[in-house]
Amino acid sequence: MPFFKMNKQLIFAGLMIAFIINHGYSQTILNKQNIENALNDAFNKFKDLKEGKNADYIKELANVDPNIFGIALVTADGAVYTKGDITSMVSIQSISKVFTMAKVIEQEGSQFLQDKIGVNATGLPFNSIVAVEMHKGDKINPLVNPGAIATTSLIRGNDSIAKWKEIQKIQSDFAGRQLSINRPVYISEASDNLRNQAIAHLLLAYNRIYFDPVQATDLYTKQCALNVNVKDLAIMAATLANGGVNPVTKNKVVSQTTVMYTLPVMATAGLYDNSGIWLFNSGLPAKSGVGGGMLAICPGKFGIAVISPPLDESGNSLKAQKVIQYVVEKLKVNPYWIEPK
Ligand code: GLU
C-alpha cells in the first residue's frame, strides 16, 4: 500500500477515535430519525395507560375528553415533530405562569422578582394558603397560585384591560400565534375561584400583591383559560430552549438573561410538590397545568410538550410525565448525563 494512502487511513482512524472520545459514541444524535422514533415509541408505549383523573375542582375541566393524547417536539432551529392528537385544545392553566413570570423578569429584572415575589419552592400544594401564612406573604413562588396571582399583578398597565393585553401578548408571542380564551373554562373557574380570591386578599393583608386583588385574580384566571394545542406548548417551550427567540416565527420574545432566570424556577417548582421527583428523574426544567398539558425544556436543543388530561395526585398529567421522561432517556438529553473525557 502506498505510504500516502496508508497515511490517509491512519489519519481517518485517528480522527474517528478522537471523535468517539470527545463525543461519546453512545450519545444519541438529535436527527429526524431518532426524534421520530423516540416520539413514536413513547406514543405506542403509553397510549393505553388509563391511570389518573381529570381535574374536577374546575367543573368544566371534568368534561374534557380524557383520551386526548398528543406529543410535540420543536427543536431550537424550528423543526416541528408531532405524534397523535395535535388539534385538540385544552386550557393552558398553570403553564401560563411561566410566561407571565418571564415577562416580569424581562421588564423589571430578576432581582425585582426575587424581592417582590420570591423564588424558593414552597414544597406545598399549588393552591396552599398555609404557604402564604407561613411566611407572611413573603417568599411565595411565581409558579404556584399565590406567587402567580401576585406576579400577574406586577404586569405593567394602568388598568385591567391594559394588563390583560400585555399578558395575552406575551403568551401569544411565545406560542407564535394569537391565543384566545376558552370561555366555558374561564366562566366555570371565575364563578368558583373563592380560594384564589382568598389567597389574593391574604396577600393584600401582607402587602404582597400589587394591584386590586379581585382584578388580579380575574386576570390570572383569564390567563389560565387560554386555549392551546400541543404544538403551541412545544413552540412555547422551544422559545425558552432557544434563548428567548421563537424558533418558528424567528421573533425575539425575551432576552437570554430572562430565560436564564426563568428555567431554574421551572426546575425547582414546575411540577408542584412533585418538582424534586421530576427533576431527579428527568433533569429538565418543566411546567405542568391542571388542564392536562405539560412542557419541558432541553436547553439549546428542543422544547417538548404533551397533552393528556388525566392527572396524578399533585396535579400533573400522568402520561405527559411518562412520555417526556421516556423521550429524555431515549435521546439521552438529561443535562446531568455526562460523558467522561
Ligand atoms: N387556574 C388553576 C387554579 O388556579 C390553575 C392551577 C394549575 O394548573 O395548577 O387553580
Side-chain angles (χ1 to χ4, degrees):
M1 187 182 285
F3 177 71
F4 75 91
K5 211 168 173 194
M6 208 172 85
N7 222 11
K8 246 188 183 171
Q9 281 176 348
L10 277 175
I11 291 169
F12 180 72
L15 284 175
M16 279 306 289
I17 291 168
F19 179 83
I20 292 166
I21 291 172
N22 274 328
H23 296 269
Y25 205 50
S26 52
Q27 204 149 41
T28 310
I29 299 160
L30 280 182
N31 61 20
K32 184 172 186 302
Q33 172 113 53
N34 288 337
I35 293 173
E36 280 175 355
N37 285 346
L39 298 195
N40 286 342
D41 291 355
F43 186 86
N44 292 328
K45 193 168 163 62
F46 298 112
K47 67 180 186 324
D48 298 321
L49 187 85
K50 291 277 180 252
E51 291 162 37
K53 197 168 146 288
N54 279 27
D56 56 7
Y57 76 98
I58 298 170
K59 296 197 178 59
E60 196 59 30
L61 296 186
N63 301 329
V64 175
D65 179 2
N67 299 312
I68 296 172
F69 181 33
I71 312 175
L73 184 154
V74 177
T75 64
D77 46 20
V80 177
Y81 300 89
T82 58
K83 180 74 191 166
D85 184 342
I86 56 163
T87 50
S88 290
M89 305 260 218
V90 295
S91 51
I92 189 168
Q93 297 298 338
S94 234
I95 302 170
S96 64
K97 293 167 181 170
V98 170
F99 307 102
T100 301
M101 170 181 75
K103 179 73 182 175
V104 170
I105 299 174
E106 182 78 1
Q107 285 190 326
E108 321 290 348
S110 60
Q111 190 61 50
F112 181 88
L113 184 84
Q114 204 173 314
D115 295 343
K116 294 277 182 185
I117 308 286
V119 290
N120 264 336
T122 65
L124 290 165
F126 68 93
N127 57 0
S128 171
I129 290 175
V130 173
V132 182
E133 191 57 18
M134 217 155 63
H135 299 289
K136 304 208 179 323
D138 217 359
K139 302 186 191 117
I140 47 177
N141 185 287
L143 297 188
V144 288
N145 291 14
I149 297 169
T151 305
T152 305
S153 79
L154 287 170
I155 290 289
R156 287 188 193 172
N158 289 335
D159 55 20
S160 193
I161 294 171
K163 283 177 189 281
W164 172 245
K165 257 194 174 157
E166 289 289 314
I167 293 170
Q168 191 173 20
K169 180 166 176 2
I170 190 70
Q171 307 280 337
S172 300
D173 286 350
F174 267 100
R177 72 175 185 94
Q178 178 77 4
L179 300 179
S180 50
I181 294 179
N182 180 325
R183 285 275 148 200
V185 169
Y186 167 63
I187 291 164
S188 167
E189 186 169 1
S191 58
D192 203 14
N193 63 353
L194 292 174
R195 190 177 180 93
N196 283 340
Q197 287 184 34
I199 287 173
H201 281 92
L202 188 56
L203 288 171
L204 180 67
Y206 289 125
N207 263 329
R208 295 289 288 179
I209 193 161
Y210 310 99
F211 186 54
D212 173 77
V214 174
Q215 292 185 61
T217 310
D218 186 56
L219 283 169
Y220 162 82
T221 309
K222 264 192 195 140
Q223 102 177 11
C224 288
L226 286 170
N227 246 348
V228 283
N229 61 38
V230 74
K231 195 176 138 194
D232 295 327
L233 289 177
I235 295 174
M236 295 172 105
T239 302
L240 289 171
N242 189 38
V245 174
N246 185 316
V248 175
T249 64
K250 312 290 180 210
N251 289 335
K252 181 180 169 190
V253 182
V254 290
S255 68
Q256 279 171 264
T257 308
T258 292
V259 173
M260 185 178 79
Y261 286 112
T262 299
L263 297 183
V265 190
M266 297 174 75
T268 50
L271 266 76
Y272 312 114
D273 37 330
N274 240 9
S275 300
I277 292 174
W278 168 258
L279 191 62
F280 182 76
N281 286 311
S282 71
L284 296 188
K287 185 73 197 89
S288 61
V290 295
M294 176 171 164
L295 51 75
I297 285 91
C298 191
K301 295 193 170 95
F302 61 77
I304 181 169
V306 177
I307 292 181
S308 167
L311 311 177
D312 67 12
E313 302 217 314
S314 301
N316 304 304
S317 165
L318 244 147
K319 252 186 218 176
Q321 292 174 81
K322 289 191 191 290
V323 165
I324 298 175
Q325 203 178 309
Y326 180 88
V327 172
V328 169
E329 272 167 31
K330 187 105 181 164
L331 296 176
K332 295 205 171 68
V333 288
N334 183 326
Y336 302 116
W337 193 82
I338 301 158
E339 291 283 354
K341 295 269 181 260

